[in-house]
Amino acid sequence: MEIKECIGQYNFLQANDVSAFLRTFNEVAEFKDAEVSKNGDNIVDKNTRDVKNYSLSINKSLTEAHWFNYICFCLGQVSLKYFTERNIDYRVRKIEVLNLLKYPEKGFYTKHYDSGDTHRELSAVVFLNNDYEGGHLQFFNPKTGEIILDIKPEVGKVVLWPSNFMFPHQATTVTKGTRFALVSWMI
């Protein structure tokens, strides 16, 4: 199977669900600068990643618990579809985290891969809006570094891929507007 075939794209959330979600979390005060892992430490490095992050939790409010549980349920369902389509006998046991990312104008995340200090099997990005410019999700050939897939965000679409070194990817710079996305990693 080619690397590109291991990247799944699915309709995930309906537009009205995305609108309701963004109305709830668009202006959350607790957005913080997103960190990156370097040499075992989590640090803010604006040269690698210029993004704001908010971690959803079941412990903050009933509304947030509802959204957290609903999105985790949907991720479980779509991951099952992903593995079934690729004839892989695997079921997600745990969703590590669910983060809402807010990319301001000029926000980006340079080329990286999602495995590291923690074990992850599957990565997910859910696009929540498309009223901005730039902010594509790009995947690279791990040997040559050339772009093998450039995904333009579509509202409610989820992209899934294995969380390992074979799938370097980046979020290109947002050139106009604000990009919202949910990210998660599954074990």
Side-chain angles (χ1 to χ4, degrees):
M1 185 180 305
E2 298 218 10
I3 291 172
K4 198 172 176 179
E5 295 169 359
C6 293
I7 301 167
Q9 300 180 56
Y10 305 93
N11 292 326
F12 185 69
L13 295 174
Q14 299 296 320
N16 58 339
D17 290 336
V18 173
S19 293
F21 180 86
L22 285 176
R23 280 193 307 274
T24 303
F25 295 101
N26 183 355
E27 297 300 325
V28 169
E30 293 90 9
F31 274 104
K32 296 185 170 135
D33 288 329
E35 298 176 331
V36 295
S37 181
K38 290 205 176 180
N39 302 322
D41 294 324
N42 290 332
I43 62 167
V44 173
D45 178 358
K46 296 272 188 170
N47 293 316
T48 302
R49 185 181 192 193
D50 189 4
V51 180
K52 299 288 186 186
N53 178 62
Y54 177 76
S55 292
L56 276 76
S57 168
I58 59 171
N59 301 318
K60 295 179 184 171
S61 72
L62 287 175
T63 300
E64 189 162 327
H66 161 77
W67 281 110
F68 182 91
N69 288 328
Y70 176 66
I71 292 167
C72 286
F73 171 79
C74 293
L75 284 172
Q77 296 298 107
V78 75
S79 68
L80 184 60
K81 183 175 183 177
Y82 171 88
F83 289 122
T84 301
E85 287 178 355
R86 286 156 185 80
N87 201 27
I88 299 170
D89 185 20
Y90 189 83
R91 287 190 183 262
V92 167
R93 296 182 310 274
K94 179 182 174 188
I95 294 178
E96 180 184 331
V97 70
L98 187 58
N99 289 335
L100 174 59
L101 301 181
K102 185 176 187 178
Y103 288 76
E105 196 164 304
K106 298 184 182 166
F108 62 92
Y109 194 174
T110 59
K111 188 178 358 176
H112 65 283
Y113 51 88
D114 292 340
S115 61
D117 297 337
T118 58
H119 174 75
R120 297 169 170 168
E121 288 292 331
L122 195 64
S123 297
V125 169
V126 180
F127 300 117
L128 298 175
N129 67 324
N130 62 0
D131 56 345
Y132 58 91
E133 294 175 13
H136 290 204
L137 177 60
Q138 293 180 330
F139 288 88
F140 298 86
N141 181 307
K143 290 183 181 179
T144 66
E146 64 188 72
I147 296 170
I148 59 171
L149 188 59
D150 182 274
I151 301 172
K152 184 177 180 185
E154 295 176 30
V155 174
K157 177 193 272 186
V158 65
V159 181
L160 302 173
W161 68 93
S163 305
N164 64 50
F165 69 95
M166 295 295 293
F167 297 88
H169 58 282
Q170 73 177 2
T172 64
T173 302
V174 174
T175 57
K176 184 178 180 183
T178 302
R179 175 188 193 250
F180 287 95
L182 283 167
V183 295
S184 185
W185 301 274
M186 294 164 258
I187 300 167

